[in-house]
Amino acid sequence: MEETLRQLGELLLGAIPTVILLALLYLLYTTIVHKPLRRVLEERRSKTEGAIEKARADIAAAEARTSEYEQRLREARATLFRAQEARRKAALEARTAALSEARGKAQAQVQAAKADIAKDREAAQVGLQKEAQGLAAEIMRRVLAPAGAGG
């Protein structure tokens, strides 16, 4: 047993340089290769994820601008429609007013014409009445006049 312990001690003593070399190799690998490689990979991942996040933000901003543009377009169309409707209504009202005014003028002209016709009729009746009286008087004068008086 003592021999086994002595051999084990020699084996461990011989393994010390290997352990030191292995630890040194691990430290060198970590500092020279692993840390820079991890830093580069993290930087690449952050740039990639950053680009993806930036793209998502740009897409969201574009969608917001698109919806805002569509909203303004709808409002502009509604405003245009209201303006067209107002102009159409104003034109219709102007047409109705012009038509009413024309009807009023025509009615006034008709009334004036009727009044003129009534005056002319009265004047004609008065004239005819006077002429009829004159003719009646002439007829009575001729009829009642002596037959011998030529006339």
Side-chain angles (χ1 to χ4, degrees), residues 91-107:
L92 188 61
E93 288 174 358
R95 179 178 161 225
T96 304
L99 188 59
S100 296
E101 184 180 338
R103 281 186 182 149
K105 285 181 181 179
Q107 193 69 24

mmCIF file of all heavy atoms in Angstrom, residues 91-107:
data_model
loop_
_atom_site.group_PDB
_atom_site.id
_atom_site.type_symbol
_atom_site.label_atom_id
_atom_site.label_comp_id
_atom_site.label_asym_id
_atom_site.label_seq_id
_atom_site.Cartn_x
_atom_site.Cartn_y
_atom_site.Cartn_z
ATOM 1 N N ALA A 91 -76.106 76.727 -55.952
ATOM 2 C CA ALA A 91 -76.556 76.870 -57.350
ATOM 3 C C ALA A 91 -78.036 76.548 -57.465
ATOM 4 O O ALA A 91 -78.781 77.235 -58.184
ATOM 5 C CB ALA A 91 -75.733 75.959 -58.250
ATOM 6 N N LEU A 92 -78.476 75.519 -56.757
ATOM 7 C CA LEU A 92 -79.891 75.146 -56.782
ATOM 8 C C LEU A 92 -80.744 76.264 -56.183
ATOM 9 O O LEU A 92 -81.801 76.601 -56.725
ATOM 10 C CB LEU A 92 -80.096 73.837 -56.029
ATOM 11 C CG LEU A 92 -81.468 73.203 -56.100
ATOM 12 C CD1 LEU A 92 -81.813 72.863 -57.555
ATOM 13 C CD2 LEU A 92 -81.517 71.936 -55.265
ATOM 14 N N GLU A 93 -80.264 76.840 -55.076
ATOM 15 C CA GLU A 93 -81.000 77.939 -54.455
ATOM 16 C C GLU A 93 -81.019 79.158 -55.377
ATOM 17 O O GLU A 93 -82.052 79.839 -55.497
ATOM 18 C CB GLU A 93 -80.376 78.295 -53.109
ATOM 19 C CG GLU A 93 -80.638 77.262 -52.031
ATOM 20 C CD GLU A 93 -79.891 77.549 -50.734
ATOM 21 O OE1 GLU A 93 -79.125 78.538 -50.677
ATOM 22 O OE2 GLU A 93 -80.069 76.771 -49.791
ATOM 23 N N ALA A 94 -79.882 79.444 -56.027
ATOM 24 C CA ALA A 94 -79.830 80.577 -56.962
ATOM 25 C C ALA A 94 -80.778 80.333 -58.134
ATOM 26 O O ALA A 94 -81.486 81.245 -58.576
ATOM 27 C CB ALA A 94 -78.402 80.779 -57.465
ATOM 28 N N ARG A 95 -80.796 79.100 -58.610
ATOM 29 C CA ARG A 95 -81.703 78.750 -59.715
ATOM 30 C C ARG A 95 -83.148 78.909 -59.279
ATOM 31 O O ARG A 95 -83.985 79.468 -60.006
ATOM 32 C CB ARG A 95 -81.420 77.321 -60.159
ATOM 33 C CG ARG A 95 -82.304 76.849 -61.276
ATOM 34 C CD ARG A 95 -81.925 75.440 -61.693
ATOM 35 N NE ARG A 95 -83.018 74.846 -62.410
ATOM 36 C CZ ARG A 95 -83.478 73.639 -62.225
ATOM 37 N NH1 ARG A 95 -82.914 72.850 -61.337
ATOM 38 N NH2 ARG A 95 -84.485 73.173 -62.917
ATOM 39 N N THR A 96 -83.448 78.422 -58.079
ATOM 40 C CA THR A 96 -84.806 78.543 -57.557
ATOM 41 C C THR A 96 -85.177 80.011 -57.378
ATOM 42 O O THR A 96 -86.296 80.423 -57.727
ATOM 43 C CB THR A 96 -84.922 77.788 -56.215
ATOM 44 O OG1 THR A 96 -84.530 76.442 -56.408
ATOM 45 C CG2 THR A 96 -86.329 77.831 -55.664
ATOM 46 N N ALA A 97 -84.238 80.803 -56.854
ATOM 47 C CA ALA A 97 -84.510 82.236 -56.669
ATOM 48 C C ALA A 97 -84.714 82.918 -58.017
ATOM 49 O O ALA A 97 -85.634 83.739 -58.173
ATOM 50 C CB ALA A 97 -83.361 82.894 -55.903
ATOM 51 N N ALA A 98 -83.843 82.581 -58.985
ATOM 52 C CA ALA A 98 -83.988 83.182 -60.320
ATOM 53 C C ALA A 98 -85.308 82.774 -60.947
ATOM 54 O O ALA A 98 -86.000 83.590 -61.580
ATOM 55 C CB ALA A 98 -82.822 82.766 -61.210
ATOM 56 N N LEU A 99 -85.677 81.507 -60.774
ATOM 57 C CA LEU A 99 -86.941 81.018 -61.309
ATOM 58 C C LEU A 99 -88.115 81.722 -60.637
ATOM 59 O O LEU A 99 -89.070 82.143 -61.309
ATOM 60 C CB LEU A 99 -87.031 79.505 -61.118
ATOM 61 C CG LEU A 99 -88.181 78.780 -61.783
ATOM 62 C CD1 LEU A 99 -88.134 78.992 -63.291
ATOM 63 C CD2 LEU A 99 -88.128 77.292 -61.465
ATOM 64 N N SER A 100 -88.041 81.883 -59.320
ATOM 65 C CA SER A 100 -89.111 82.590 -58.600
ATOM 66 C C SER A 100 -89.195 84.040 -59.062
ATOM 67 O O SER A 100 -90.295 84.580 -59.249
ATOM 68 C CB SER A 100 -88.849 82.548 -57.097
ATOM 69 O OG SER A 100 -88.903 81.224 -56.638
ATOM 70 N N GLU A 101 -88.004 84.667 -59.215
ATOM 71 C CA GLU A 101 -87.991 86.058 -59.677
ATOM 72 C C GLU A 101 -88.568 86.160 -61.083
ATOM 73 O O GLU A 101 -89.371 87.059 -61.374
ATOM 74 C CB GLU A 101 -86.553 86.586 -59.663
ATOM 75 C CG GLU A 101 -86.443 88.038 -60.041
ATOM 76 C CD GLU A 101 -85.006 88.514 -60.012
ATOM 77 O OE1 GLU A 101 -84.182 87.888 -59.319
ATOM 78 O OE2 GLU A 101 -84.724 89.528 -60.678
ATOM 79 N N ALA A 102 -88.188 85.221 -61.954
ATOM 80 C CA ALA A 102 -88.717 85.235 -63.321
ATOM 81 C C ALA A 102 -90.220 85.008 -63.311
ATOM 82 O O ALA A 102 -90.961 85.664 -64.054
ATOM 83 C CB ALA A 102 -88.017 84.172 -64.163
ATOM 84 N N ARG A 103 -90.679 84.100 -62.467
ATOM 85 C CA ARG A 103 -92.121 83.867 -62.358
ATOM 86 C C ARG A 103 -92.822 85.116 -61.860
ATOM 87 O O ARG A 103 -93.907 85.478 -62.331
ATOM 88 C CB ARG A 103 -92.405 82.698 -61.415
ATOM 89 C CG ARG A 103 -92.209 81.361 -62.048
ATOM 90 C CD ARG A 103 -92.632 80.242 -61.118
ATOM 91 N NE ARG A 103 -92.381 78.947 -61.744
ATOM 92 C CZ ARG A 103 -92.081 77.859 -61.088
ATOM 93 N NH1 ARG A 103 -91.987 77.879 -59.770
ATOM 94 N NH2 ARG A 103 -91.879 76.723 -61.727
ATOM 95 N N GLY A 104 -92.204 85.756 -60.856
ATOM 96 C CA GLY A 104 -92.797 86.987 -60.325
ATOM 97 C C GLY A 104 -92.880 88.059 -61.392
ATOM 98 O O GLY A 104 -93.917 88.736 -61.536
ATOM 99 N N LYS A 105 -91.768 88.226 -62.146
ATOM 100 C CA LYS A 105 -91.785 89.227 -63.221
ATOM 101 C C LYS A 105 -92.818 88.872 -64.284
ATOM 102 O O LYS A 105 -93.542 89.744 -64.774
ATOM 103 C CB LYS A 105 -90.395 89.321 -63.861
ATOM 104 C CG LYS A 105 -89.387 90.054 -63.014
ATOM 105 C CD LYS A 105 -88.032 90.131 -63.714
ATOM 106 C CE LYS A 105 -87.018 90.842 -62.855
ATOM 107 N NZ LYS A 105 -85.697 90.895 -63.507
ATOM 108 N N ALA A 106 -92.863 87.585 -64.643
ATOM 109 C CA ALA A 106 -93.833 87.150 -65.646
ATOM 110 C C ALA A 106 -95.248 87.384 -65.138
ATOM 111 O O ALA A 106 -96.127 87.850 -65.886
ATOM 112 C CB ALA A 106 -93.616 85.681 -65.992
ATOM 113 N N GLN A 107 -95.483 87.078 -63.864
ATOM 114 C CA GLN A 107 -96.809 87.288 -63.277
ATOM 115 C C GLN A 107 -97.147 88.766 -63.285
ATOM 116 O O GLN A 107 -98.279 89.151 -63.594
ATOM 117 C CB GLN A 107 -96.837 86.720 -61.854
ATOM 118 C CG GLN A 107 -98.206 86.602 -61.252
ATOM 119 C CD GLN A 107 -99.043 85.537 -61.940
ATOM 120 O OE1 GLN A 107 -98.519 84.617 -62.541
ATOM 121 N NE2 GLN A 107 -100.340 85.681 -61.873
#
